[in-house]
């Protein structure tokens, strides 16, 4: 079983649709209501009820995520009628609706803890594609509903990625208990360096030779470290909450440190595993070395010395950027190594839009994803995409 459980460990039911003008344009309507369906009543119930709610607006630029906590009321507008029902949501003003336009996607999710999530994304955006991928369904003008109580699908890396995008805190306690392994290795339940943590994840999940391919190895190493990290983080947070805080500032400082650690660790952990993979595959590289204008690409092949040698052919140079997610941030790597005309980017991002991958091709950026994630892309994109095995073969041929 997956360390992160199944979809129905987190979701009771969900519905998805395209918003109409009357539902999101304040010039058309100030009612703050959405029409529901009888299918939604199967997981939301038939009685009037007010749910705690989170309202989330996703944009392709990560810093543009909008978030508000509040409540929504689910009710039958014809509850006194003997035969007819007309289910509706009444909601407060919120970014998920207020920042939307006609045609944007809206997902309503009832979480296992009883909270409702309203999350919207622009039509045609990368974020809309991710919502589509979560439910494996096209988005139409009417709500499509899903009852997850009988859904035994385990959480893949792709599904986990999308759930976290819409605000889920995933629990890593459905599989192996890693706390004993961590304490045995480091002597206490405290965070080691990212390099040490990544090494322990590989020691625990297996060496490169234990897997059928480099693509399988990178996913297993990443999954294991994610589960280990979440179990350790949960323990440390719970211990700190029991100790308590002197004031709000101390609590906010602790919360900020959690966010910063998560962000810094994720990218570095992926680089750690790739570096081990390259070393084991006998591929020469430089890691985190500066090029022009003080830019720092993640990996230069065969090494930074060759890059800085004007007599070394640029055709034998390769640059690899690494981003756990990319969305619009892939453009950042385009200026990181001027001598290299065609650059490469490795990511765990599932199903990037065709518009984005077409633009990458225009800028001579080759996207690289693990095979398990490559399957989420459209067939015409897969023809162009590289998996990690392809990248390793390419690097080996140049060396």
């Amino acid at each position: 079983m997956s360390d992160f459980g199944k979809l129905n460990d987190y979701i009771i039911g969900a519905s998805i649709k395209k918003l109409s003008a009357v539902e999101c344009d304040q010039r058309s309507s100030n009612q703050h209501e959405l029409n529901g369906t009888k299918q939604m009543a199967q997981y939301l119930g038939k009685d009037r009820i007010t749910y705690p709610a989170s309202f989330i607006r996703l944009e392709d630029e990560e810093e543009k995520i909008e978030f508000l906590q509040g409540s929504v009321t689910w009710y039958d507008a014809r509850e006194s009628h003997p035969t007819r029902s007309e289910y509706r949501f009444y909601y407060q003003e919120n970014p998920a609706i207020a920042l939307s336009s006609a045609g944007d996607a809206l997902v309503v999710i009832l979480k296992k803890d009883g909270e409702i999530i309203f999350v919207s994304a622009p039509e045609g955006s990368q974020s809309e594609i991710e919502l589509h991928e979560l439910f494996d369904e096209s988005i139409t003008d009417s709500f499509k509903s899903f009852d997850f109580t009988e859904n035994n699908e385990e959480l893949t890396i792709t599904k986990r990625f999308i759930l976290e995008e819409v605000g889920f805190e995933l629990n890593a306690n459905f599989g192996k208990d890693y706390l004993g392994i961590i304490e045995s290795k480091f002597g206490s339940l405290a965070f080691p360096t990212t390099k040490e943590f990544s090494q322990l994840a590989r020691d625990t999940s297996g060496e490169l030779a234990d897997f059928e391919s480099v693509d399988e190895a990178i996913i297993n190493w990443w999954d294991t470290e994610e589960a280990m990290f979440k179990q350790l983080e949960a323990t440390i947070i719970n211990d700190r909450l029991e100790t308590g805080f002197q004031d709000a500032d101390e609590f906010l400082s602790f919360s900020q440190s959690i966010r910063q650690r998560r962000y810094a660790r994720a990218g570095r952990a992926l680089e750690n595993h790739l570096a081990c993979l390259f070393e084991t595959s006998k591929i020469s590289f430089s890691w985190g070395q500066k090029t022009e204008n003080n830019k720092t690409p993640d990996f230069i092949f065969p090494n930074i010395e060759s890059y800085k040698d004007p007599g070394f052919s640029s055709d034998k140079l390769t640059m690899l950027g690494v981003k756990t997610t990319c969305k619009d941030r892939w453009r950042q790597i385009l200026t990181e190594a001027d001598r290299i005309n065609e650059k490469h980017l490795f990511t765990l991002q599932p199903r990037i839009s065709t518009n984005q991958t077409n633009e990458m091709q225009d800028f001579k950026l080759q996207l690289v994803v693990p095979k398990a994630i490559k399957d989420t892309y459209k067939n015409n994109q897969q023809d162009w995409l590289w998996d990690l095995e392809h990248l390793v073969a390419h690097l080996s041929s140049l060396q």
Side-chain angles (χ1 to χ4, degrees):
M1 182 179 181
S2 167
D3 288 322
F4 296 90
K6 299 173 291 187
L7 275 171
N8 62 15
D9 290 313
Y10 301 92
I11 300 176
I12 295 175
S15 302
I16 186 168
K17 69 167 293 180
K18 285 183 178 293
L19 286 165
S20 65
V22 73
E23 291 171 322
C24 58
D25 190 339
Q26 298 303 305
R27 295 168 297 181
S28 300
S29 172
N30 288 305
Q31 296 301 309
H32 287 185
E33 286 191 329
L34 284 174
N35 288 328
T37 66
K38 290 182 178 179
Q39 289 74 28
M40 297 174 79
Q42 292 177 6
Y43 67 88
L44 292 169
K46 297 182 179 180
D47 298 327
R48 177 183 293 260
I49 183 172
T50 297
Y51 290 97
S54 292
F55 303 95
I56 302 169
R57 174 66 174 177
L58 294 178
E59 302 279 357
D60 283 355
E61 296 181 32
E62 284 135 311
E63 63 270 19
K64 288 190 176 180
I65 293 176
E66 301 279 348
F67 176 82
L68 176 72
Q69 286 188 308
S71 62
V72 296
T73 298
W74 168 257
Y75 70 102
D76 183 357
R78 295 181 179 271
E79 56 188 349
S80 60
H81 196 282
T83 59
R84 294 186 62 188
S85 295
E86 190 174 305
Y87 293 105
R88 294 178 184 173
F89 273 113
Y90 180 79
Y91 57 85
Q92 66 193 93
E93 185 171 347
N94 67 82
I97 304 296
L99 297 178
S100 295
S101 301
D104 286 1
L106 175 72
V107 173
V108 177
I109 301 173
L110 177 60
K111 296 171 62 178
K112 199 72 174 285
D113 63 7
E115 181 190 28
I116 289 280
I117 295 180
F118 271 41
V119 55
S120 69
E123 183 177 18
S125 66
Q126 176 61 38
S127 296
E128 182 194 48
I129 288 175
E130 290 165 11
L131 295 177
H132 172 285
E133 184 69 26
L134 183 60
F135 302 106
D136 299 317
E137 284 283 346
S138 59
I139 304 173
T140 65
D141 293 337
S142 300
F143 271 120
K144 288 185 177 181
S145 296
F146 311 89
D147 185 344
F148 283 89
T149 55
E150 299 299 324
N151 188 320
N152 291 315
E153 179 184 356
E154 290 192 357
L155 278 183
T156 62
I157 187 172
T158 299
K159 301 289 188 185
R160 296 203 317 266
F161 170 87
I162 299 168
L163 285 180
E164 289 180 331
E165 279 279 283
V166 298
F168 279 78
E169 283 287 336
L170 301 185
N171 185 342
N173 294 322
F174 293 94
K176 191 171 185 177
D177 182 357
Y178 294 103
L179 295 179
I181 296 173
I182 296 170
E183 190 168 22
S184 176
K185 175 67 175 179
F186 302 114
S188 65
L189 290 178
F191 284 111
T193 66
T194 54
K195 188 173 183 179
E196 291 173 326
F197 212 49
S198 295
Q199 182 63 60
L200 180 60
R202 293 191 297 272
D203 291 342
T204 303
S205 58
E207 298 178 355
L208 183 58
D210 296 323
F211 300 101
E212 292 184 1
S213 68
V214 291
D215 292 273
E216 183 184 12
I218 201 74
I219 292 294
N220 276 273
W221 291 344
W222 174 260
D223 281 354
T224 300
E225 183 164 356
E226 279 284 282
M228 290 171 59
F229 177 84
K230 287 188 177 294
Q231 287 187 16
L232 179 57
E233 181 188 61
T235 298
I236 291 173
I237 290 174
N238 288 336
D239 289 346
R240 187 67 182 85
L241 290 175
E242 288 183 4
T243 303
F245 300 91
Q246 293 183 357
D247 51 35
D249 287 341
E250 186 178 14
F251 171 76
L252 291 173
S253 176
F254 178 68
S255 299
Q256 181 66 21
S257 70
I258 293 171
R259 289 192 294 270
Q260 290 174 342
R261 183 187 293 115
R262 288 180 177 182
Y263 180 80
R265 182 205 63 87
R268 193 62 175 177
L270 194 54
E271 291 179 35
N272 289 338
H273 296 313
L274 286 169
C276 175
L277 189 150
F278 296 141
E279 289 172 354
T280 307
S281 301
K282 309 299 182 186
I283 294 172
S284 174
F285 64 93
S286 291
W287 184 9
Q289 298 296 311
K290 295 186 182 299
T291 57
E292 302 86 359
N293 301 316
N294 214 33
K295 294 297 180 70
T296 310
D298 295 313
F299 292 99
I300 291 286
F301 306 89
N303 49 55
I304 194 64
E305 292 77 19
S306 298
Y307 182 87
K308 291 181 177 180
D309 178 3
F312 191 88
S313 174
S314 61
D315 292 339
K316 294 185 177 181
L317 294 170
T318 306
M319 191 213 87
L320 180 69
V322 179
K323 294 185 181 296
T324 52
T325 64
C326 54
K327 291 194 174 181
D328 277 343
R329 295 187 300 121
W330 58 267
R331 294 177 180 82
Q332 295 171 359
I333 77 167
L334 296 176
T335 61
E336 291 181 349
D338 291 348
R339 285 197 65 198
I340 300 174
N341 189 36
E342 183 174 7
K343 298 174 173 62
H344 295 73
L345 172 63
F346 181 81
T347 185
L348 300 178
Q349 176 103 32
R351 197 173 175 180
I352 294 173
S353 69
T354 301
N355 288 340
Q356 289 269 27
T357 54
N358 286 343
E359 193 173 357
M360 290 177 184
Q361 293 179 67
D362 291 341
F363 280 97
K364 296 184 178 180
L365 177 69
Q366 178 62 60
L367 192 64
V368 184
V369 298
K371 286 180 181 177
I373 293 174
K374 185 176 178 179
D375 291 340
T376 67
Y377 288 74
K378 293 182 178 179
N379 290 335
N380 61 333
Q381 292 175 300
Q382 292 186 35
D383 293 338
W384 164 74
L385 278 171
W386 285 15
D387 54 37
L388 195 52
E389 188 172 8
H390 189 157
L391 175 67
V392 169
H394 171 74
L395 295 171
S396 298
S397 70
L398 293 178
Q399 297 186 14

